[in-house]
Amino acid sequence: MRIALDHTSEIGVRAGRLLLGEEGLDLLGVLRRDVMDKDPRISRTDALSGFDAVVTDDPDSAILDEAVAAGVPCVLWADSFDRNTDTAEVPVLIGANLVTGIGQSLAAREEDVAGPDSQILFAWTEPGKPVRHGESLTFPEPVGARWGTRRRMTNRRLDVAAPVPDEWAGIIVRSTTDEETRTLGIADLAVHLEAIALASGAVIAASGIVSSGVHHPDEMADRYLLSSLAIGLDIASFTESS
């Protein structure tokens, strides 16, 4: 597995360190940046040819055009990109981040497991000033109890965002049926969780399971979550009988 890394922030740096823990990694090419690490699998690269995937934490996704020109699968931390780019012939995975990647994948999987008669709560943290009313949420520590604001609601699912002012982040997915309520929770340093999400996208893209065109991680939720768990994601689980 040969992965090129285009990093612009601590998220990308940490994602690169996580990828070095992958047994199947043959080369991590750091794009146009000198490398001081002594690991023989990491080196500077100035071109994308020969790589199985390129991954970027750049919110502007500037590397995408170069990836398309080189025919290399591209993984974006960002949720969107310039749609003038023709991505029909190259695999592009967008939203490899905590909420759109890990969170939406966990929610999609729980919807399938719990069945069509279940009610689903999907809640996440985002940077901002905490609110003092709304939906009551309890994330794993150290995020803890928070108030959240409804973002989307259907007959079956409620999506809620909870602003937090500090460096921690979390996800809650709760499914409720007539028999039980099951809650899945994630909490850790935000930058660490974002790095896991990005590195997981890089692994599945480099493995060749992402087809040509634009995709989101929840389209391959099981594989994406398995990759996240292997990289180091911790998910707490609690089940209560009704």
Side-chain angles (χ1 to χ4, degrees):
M1 184 166 57
R2 297 165 59 90
I3 296 175
L5 172 65
D6 172 46
H7 69 80
T8 63
S9 72
E10 182 65 16
I11 293 172
V13 172
R14 287 183 178 238
R17 291 173 184 158
L18 292 171
L19 287 169
L20 288 172
E22 289 291 300
E23 291 184 3
L25 183 75
D26 298 309
L27 175 64
L28 181 67
V30 180
L31 195 62
R32 302 184 186 101
R33 291 179 183 270
D34 292 333
V35 174
M36 303 300 293
D37 198 295
K38 297 187 182 300
D39 191 316
R41 297 173 301 160
I42 182 171
S43 64
R44 175 183 172 129
T45 185
D46 294 312
L48 297 181
S49 60
F51 284 93
D52 300 311
V54 57
V55 57
T56 182
D57 62 353
D58 181 3
D60 295 326
S61 309
I63 197 64
L64 180 58
D65 285 337
E66 188 174 341
V68 169
V72 176
C74 189
V75 180
L76 308 180
W77 175 86
D79 287 325
S80 62
F81 62 93
D82 182 358
R83 290 291 177 168
N84 290 324
T85 303
D86 184 2
T87 58
E89 302 300 323
V90 175
V92 178
L93 188 67
I94 70 173
N97 56 54
L98 174 59
V99 177
T100 307
I102 292 174
Q104 292 282 12
S105 294
L106 198 60
R109 186 181 187 283
E110 193 64 12
E111 285 186 72
D112 290 340
V113 171
D117 296 327
S118 62
Q119 295 293 313
I120 304 295
L121 168 71
F122 170 39
W124 65 92
T125 60
E126 61 185 21
K129 182 179 179 180
V131 295
R132 297 186 178 184
H133 56 82
E135 297 291 328
S136 177
L137 305 167
T138 303
F139 294 89
E141 294 295 341
V143 177
R146 302 282 175 173
W147 292 106
T149 302
R150 293 185 177 189
R151 289 293 177 80
R152 177 176 174 268
M153 183 170 62
T154 66
N155 290 335
R156 186 184 176 200
R157 178 167 149 176
L158 175 63
D159 291 2
V160 181
V164 295
D166 49 29
E167 59 190 352
W168 303 101
I171 294 287
I172 299 171
V173 176
R174 185 172 67 223
S175 61
T176 303
T177 66
D178 292 338
E179 291 77 31
E180 65 180 26
T181 297
R182 187 165 95 119
T183 302
L184 304 175
I186 298 167
D188 209 324
L189 285 171
V191 68
H192 179 63
L193 292 174
E194 297 289 0
I196 289 176
L198 186 59
S200 300
V203 169
I204 63 172
S207 70
I209 70 167
V210 183
S211 59
S212 297
V214 179
H215 301 276
H216 290 86
D218 62 355
E219 297 175 39
M220 50 212 80
D222 284 351
R223 290 290 299 271
Y224 183 78
L225 289 171
L226 284 173
S227 177
S228 298
L229 290 167
I231 286 174
L233 179 68
D234 289 324
I235 303 176
S237 175
F238 175 74
T239 302
E240 182 180 14
S241 299
S242 301

